[in-house]
Amino acid sequence: LKVKWLAIAEFLFFLYEVIVLPMPLKFLPLVSILNLVLICGDLIAGQFRKIRKPNIRGARWKAQTQPRARPSTFTSDVGSGNSFTERKCSVCGKSAAEHPELEFRYCSRCSGMHCFCEEHINAHVHFGE
């Protein structure tokens, strides 16, 4: 059961009490809500301020990750086989060009960028430095 639904049920119950109860007792639910606002009002207001505040770090990250123009001295290593994008299994030597039906992944636990085919990604000896 989510807290959201409990809060909605409680609000509806307070609304029901305000409508149904006689005049002096109608103020009891309102006083309890006022008590909550007095104690937690600054926390609630802080949450609304956080929502409206722009994400400065996100904007900086987006600006840094935008594609930039290549330098004039850019050389491609794709033909030589040294490219980061050319995927080749470090265990069996299968490459993505030879076996397009296989999926290749990089291991996050191995030091360096070692690529593995779907057969060896879960069962290989991790490379150390």
Side-chain angles (χ1 to χ4, degrees):
L1 188 63
K2 292 192 176 197
V3 176
K4 172 179 72 171
W5 297 114
L6 291 174
I8 291 171
E10 187 73 18
F11 174 76
L12 292 175
F13 183 68
F14 279 164
L15 191 63
Y16 171 76
E17 285 181 336
V18 169
I19 294 171
V20 173
L21 291 176
M23 188 55 183
L25 297 176
K26 287 185 179 200
F27 292 112
L28 291 178
L30 299 175
V31 170
S32 67
I33 292 175
L34 179 65
N35 187 21
L36 176 72
V37 170
L38 287 175
I39 293 173
C40 302
D42 58 341
L43 294 174
I44 295 169
Q47 291 297 320
F48 285 118
R49 273 187 252 125
K50 186 190 292 184
I51 291 171
R52 287 186 284 131
K53 186 177 179 182
N55 189 352
I56 296 170
R57 283 191 293 171
R60 259 191 255 139
W61 178 81
K62 186 176 180 181
Q64 290 174 353
T65 58
Q66 292 296 323
R68 297 179 182 150
R70 291 181 178 172
S72 59
T73 60
F74 179 77
T75 58
S76 176
D77 291 332
V78 175
S80 64
N82 298 328
S83 173
F84 174 73
T85 59
E86 187 175 305
R87 297 181 175 197
K88 185 175 181 182
C89 181
S90 298
V91 176
C92 63
K94 293 179 183 176
S95 69
E98 297 168 357
H99 301 279
E101 72 279 357
L102 293 178
E103 290 188 25
F104 292 87
R105 302 278 185 237
Y106 288 91
C107 180
S108 61
R109 292 179 55 194
C110 292
S111 64
M113 297 303 296
H114 294 281
C115 186
F116 298 95
C117 64
E118 57 191 13
E119 299 169 8
H120 298 111
I121 186 67
N122 293 322
H124 68 273
V125 177
H126 296 287
F127 290 89
E129 290 187 26

